Amino acid sequence: MKEDPDLPIGLFDSGIGGLTVLREIVQLLPGESTLYLGDTARVPYGGRSKETVRRFSCQAGDYLARQGIKLLIVACNTATAMAIGPLRERFTIPVIGVVEPGARAAVSRTRSGTVGVIGTRATIQSGAYENAIQAIEPGLRVVGQACPLFVPLVEEGWLQHQVTEEIARIYLAPFRAMGVDTVVLGCTHYPLLRTLLQRVLGPEVTLVDSAREVARAVKEILDRGPRRSRSRDPVQRILVTDSAENFRRVARNFMGQLPEEIRQVRLI
Amino acid sequence: MKEDPDLPIGLFDSGIGGLTVLREIVQLLPGESTLYLGDTARVPYGGRSKETVRRFSCQAGDYLARQGIKLLIVACNTATAMAIGPLRERFTIPVIGVVEPGARAAVSRTRSGTVGVIGTRATIQSGAYENAIQAIEPGLRVVGQACPLFVPLVEEGWLQHQVTEEIARIYLAPFRAMGVDTVVLGCTHYPLLRTLLQRVLGPEVTLVDSAREVARAVKEILDRGPRRSRSRDPVQRILVTDSAENFRRVARNFMGQLPEEIRQVRLI
């Protein structure tokens, strides 16, 4: 990696969900600076067309690249599923999506050979996890299930609500019948439902949190490059495209301690 | 009204919900042409800040104005609540929102003097219905309740689902205790939940569908102006900012017979 090692790690998400990735990055790489962009004026991406998700993702990536970053994390499953190719063509810095690390973890953990993936409608329809998993291990069976109500339920704060559990039972019923033993949380909002999902799926099912796997993949890349200089303290900054106050209110659920600086910007 | 009476009626909504207004317009004014714009690339507006909703609404209004319309309907409660003022300043044609007609209907129908309003978080927080109702009848009590899960439930198609009914019971519980006898459906998605909401609220509660009231208000305005010429058949056209196919798939729930022409456009 030839970029200045003192530059921050850039992350973008359609909104707030990518904070689960930021949290893991800050925890695993506490010496690094980060610059997070949440496109909160246009969230959610999960129901939009590929063309629109690509356009929005390239605008977000361009904005971060102009600020100066040494590595770009696409901290949104929908954006990764639909736009990782165009983003990689666009930039010379490493571009890390959430799908491949999650797929690798799922492959290494399944014993039954049947992996479940939950995500937004766009992520599931894209088949991105299925493709990534079968590229590693063609014999595995992948069962996708779109769970479009999970994001609004998380944003409503109903993380342990009985209604959320009922909806989870409806969405996840097919997994039990099909012998799924490993489920990828294919949306950055879903780690907040982890306890509830584990209860619904049963203790014998392994949950794969892509956020954690991404942090490990990033650490591997950075460990191969030059070290960040110790002369300046790392800085964590957040940019959003809608009101910073609204973001701050919901963000506490996703990340205990928020960076001081949350600033509203325009991408276009 | 000095505009060409042969121009279409323009409507915009953050996405698909405004079709409930379009349906009422086409039914009540079958001789009129309509031009509907759904900002599906940036839907929903309901959780965004006032500044962002105003910016998006002005972009949508400008786009329709450039196409040529004789009257603008803001067929979205959030956009009406947050942007009707700037929109009225911007255009010389009549600009009709969904809030005032709904408020007038609620005032004329309540007997208990306590009106409930349900809507997105943004609409309820704006206090737009409360202000509009109390401007007509200062003595009335208005109780607002944000129902952020209703829009995703409608878009999931769970119009009669037991889970939707449970969520409705949770959201609407305060209304019963407070003696609400009239409830304004303050979001253009909610008419699709009408049967379920009536069941939850009980037959003694009157539901006010703003969509229907808006159509009546528009008819009153048009009846005062010159007639549309009979030489050309009316044309119904729909513009969307995300994929037309995605729109067509979900739109059937909102409007039985969709216009032939649904075209994707860019506002900016």
Side-chain angles (χ1 to χ4, degrees):
Chain A
M1 209 172 66
K2 58 199 175 309
E3 278 71 29
D4 176 357
D6 282 357
L7 283 176
I9 297 169
L11 308 89
F12 84 84
D13 176 42
S14 56
I16 213 154
L19 290 181
T20 58
V21 178
L22 179 61
R23 187 180 56 188
E24 298 292 336
I25 292 285
V26 171
Q27 206 164 333
L28 198 66
L29 297 160
E32 297 289 338
S33 293
T34 59
L35 180 61
Y36 178 97
L37 171 61
D39 190 7
T40 48
R42 303 188 294 195
V43 71
Y45 288 3
R48 312 208 193 284
S49 68
K50 183 185 273 196
E51 180 222 327
T52 296
V53 173
R54 285 187 170 182
R55 182 156 53 94
F56 289 178
S57 299
C58 289
Q59 288 166 351
D62 288 352
Y63 192 94
L64 287 174
R66 282 198 301 273
Q67 309 296 307
I69 53 173
K70 62 178 175 182
L71 180 147
L72 176 63
I73 301 175
V74 185
C76 169
N77 282 270
T78 305
T80 303
M82 296 189 150
I84 192 83
L87 287 167
R88 286 201 169 126
E89 283 169 23
R90 207 170 182 89
F91 304 110
T92 54
I93 53 173
V95 177
I96 315 291
V98 279
V99 171
E100 279 166 40
R104 266 204 305 280
V107 169
S108 75
R109 288 179 207 166
T110 182
R111 299 162 306 279
S112 72
T114 304
V115 172
V117 179
I118 54 178
T120 63
R121 207 184 293 283
T123 298
I124 298 305
Q125 279 175 356
S126 75
Y129 273 100
E130 192 166 353
N131 296 341
I133 288 171
Q134 288 175 344
I136 305 167
E137 189 67 60
L140 295 185
R141 188 160 69 138
V142 181
V143 187
Q145 174 66 50
C147 305
L149 290 167
F150 279 174
V151 168
L153 285 163
V154 167
E155 300 214 336
E156 182 73 325
W158 290 15
L159 306 181
Q160 292 288 345
H161 202 289
Q162 189 216 324
V163 161
T164 311
E165 188 159 334
E166 261 182 78
I167 293 174
R169 280 189 202 288
I170 294 168
Y171 282 147
L172 303 176
F175 283 1
R176 193 172 289 265
M178 297 175 103
V180 164
D181 75 340
T182 304
V183 173
V184 180
L185 307 179
C187 171
T188 48
H189 276 74
Y190 297 177
L192 277 80
L193 295 175
R194 189 178 187 122
T195 311
L196 183 144
L197 293 173
Q198 190 78 68
R199 191 163 63 236
V200 168
L201 287 163
E204 67 286 1
V205 172
T206 304
L207 295 183
V208 173
D209 175 355
S210 295
R212 201 159 293 172
E213 306 302 331
V214 170
R216 287 193 193 126
V218 169
K219 185 171 187 306
E220 271 176 37
I221 293 177
L222 295 184
D223 282 349
R224 291 200 298 267
R227 293 266 159 166
R228 191 176 175 282
S229 60
R230 301 261 161 183
S231 55
R232 275 183 298 177
D233 283 341
V235 181
Q236 323 299 343
R237 292 195 301 143
I238 292 183
L239 309 175
V240 288
T241 54
D242 197 4
S243 141
E245 286 117 273
N246 283 3
F247 185 86
R248 204 178 277 280
R249 187 172 45 79
V250 189
R252 303 222 171 274
N253 270 336
F254 286 79
M255 211 178 162
Q257 182 158 21
L258 283 173
E260 286 267 311
E261 188 186 329
I262 303 182
R263 197 159 49 86
Q264 187 174 348
V265 297
R266 277 219 206 163
L267 300 189
I268 43 166
Chain B
M1 209 171 67
K2 58 199 173 306
E3 279 70 29
D4 176 359
D6 282 357
L7 283 175
I9 296 170
L11 307 88
F12 85 84
D13 176 43
S14 56
I16 214 156
L19 290 180
T20 57
V21 178
L22 179 61
R23 187 180 58 188
E24 299 292 335
I25 292 285
V26 171
Q27 207 165 331
L28 198 65
L29 297 160
E32 296 290 337
S33 293
T34 59
L35 180 61
Y36 178 96
L37 170 62
D39 190 7
T40 48
R42 303 189 294 195
V43 72
Y45 288 3
R48 311 208 194 283
S49 67
K50 182 184 273 193
E51 180 221 326
T52 296
V53 172
R54 285 188 171 181
R55 181 156 53 95
F56 290 178
S57 299
C58 288
Q59 288 165 351
D62 288 351
Y63 192 94
L64 287 174
R66 283 198 300 273
Q67 308 296 307
I69 52 175
K70 62 178 175 181
L71 180 147
L72 176 63
I73 300 174
V74 185
C76 170
N77 282 270
T78 305
T80 303
M82 295 189 152
I84 192 83
L87 287 166
R88 286 200 169 128
E89 282 169 25
R90 208 170 181 90
F91 304 111
T92 54
I93 54 173
V95 177
I96 314 291
V98 279
V99 171
E100 280 166 40
R104 265 203 304 279
V107 169
S108 74
R109 286 177 209 168
T110 182
R111 298 164 305 279
S112 72
T114 304
V115 173
V117 179
I118 55 178
T120 64
R121 207 184 293 285
T123 298
I124 298 305
Q125 279 175 356
S126 75
Y129 273 101
E130 194 167 351
N131 296 341
I133 288 171
Q134 288 175 344
I136 306 167
E137 189 67 61
L140 294 184
R141 188 160 69 139
V142 181
V143 186
Q145 175 66 49
C147 304
L149 290 167
F150 280 174
V151 168
L153 285 163
V154 167
E155 300 213 336
E156 182 74 325
W158 289 15
L159 306 181
Q160 292 288 346
H161 201 290
Q162 189 216 324
V163 161
T164 311
E165 188 159 332
E166 262 181 78
I167 293 173
R169 278 189 203 287
I170 294 168
Y171 282 148
L172 304 176
F175 283 0
R176 192 173 289 265
M178 297 175 101
V180 163
D181 75 340
T182 304
V183 173
V184 180
L185 306 179
C187 169
T188 49
H189 277 73
Y190 297 176
L192 277 80
L193 295 175
R194 190 180 185 117
T195 311
L196 183 145
L197 293 173
Q198 189 77 69
R199 191 162 63 234
V200 169
L201 287 163
E204 68 285 3
V205 172
T206 305
L207 295 183
V208 173
D209 176 354
S210 295
R212 199 159 294 170
E213 306 303 330
V214 170
R216 288 194 192 127
V218 169
K219 185 170 187 303
E220 269 176 37
I221 293 177
L222 295 183
D223 282 349
R224 292 201 297 265
R227 293 265 159 170
R228 194 178 173 280
S229 60
R230 300 260 161 185
S231 54
R232 276 183 297 177
D233 283 341
V235 181
Q236 323 300 343
R237 292 196 301 142
I238 291 183
L239 309 174
V240 287
T241 54
D242 198 3
S243 141
E245 286 117 89
N246 283 3
F247 185 86
R248 203 178 278 280
R249 185 171 48 79
V250 189
R252 303 224 170 274
N253 270 335
F254 287 79
M255 211 177 161
Q257 182 159 20
L258 283 173
E260 287 266 312
E261 186 185 331
I262 303 182
R263 197 159 50 85
Q264 187 174 348
V265 297
R266 274 216 209 167
L267 299 191
I268 42 165

